[in-house]
Amino acid sequence: MKADFLEGYNNKLKSKLFGLLCEFEKNGEWEKFLDSIIIELLGFPEESRTINYYILLSKISSLRYLRYEYFRSTIFSCMSLLGKTDGLL
């Protein structure tokens, strides 16, 4: 995949994660938001998945069960992971 595409997608996913945090903080429909992110990640082609993909998917999947302080730190951990040079894919 092209580097520009990957960078753009990683930035889009970071924005979604921040949006998820905002929904959680305002006690909105964050679970639906979370499900849509997980569904999107599960659609990635297997041949494009890296170790960062599996780490990210595991962390995001755990969000449903975390208290606020851990939820928030996990979101920022995921965003940091997306900021790495190889990003998600």
Side-chain angles (χ1 to χ4, degrees):
M1 293 191 171
K2 295 186 122 197
D4 291 344
F5 170 81
L6 296 177
E7 183 179 346
Y9 185 77
N10 285 338
N11 287 335
K12 179 181 169 238
L13 195 50
K14 280 189 222 178
S15 294
K16 285 185 176 189
L17 290 170
F18 188 74
L20 175 63
L21 178 59
C22 292
E23 275 298 301
F24 188 87
E25 288 176 339
K26 71 178 187 177
N27 207 19
E29 293 192 6
W30 66 272
E31 288 179 291
K32 287 182 182 179
F33 204 145
L34 175 61
D35 288 340
S36 72
I37 294 171
I38 292 171
I39 289 166
E40 183 176 325
L41 289 174
L42 291 173
F44 267 67
E46 284 194 39
E47 63 274 4
S48 298
R49 297 174 183 181
T50 65
I51 188 66
N52 283 348
Y53 166 86
Y54 291 104
I55 293 168
L56 186 71
L57 183 60
S58 297
K59 287 183 176 207
I60 290 174
S61 296
S62 73
L63 289 171
R64 184 177 320 279
Y65 309 104
L66 301 178
R67 293 192 318 246
Y68 173 72
E69 62 198 81
Y70 300 112
F71 186 99
R72 188 174 195 283
S73 66
T74 301
I75 289 283
F76 285 112
S77 172
C78 290
M79 291 171 75
S80 174
L81 188 63
L82 287 168
K84 297 201 185 295
T85 52
D86 61 345
L88 176 61
L89 304 173

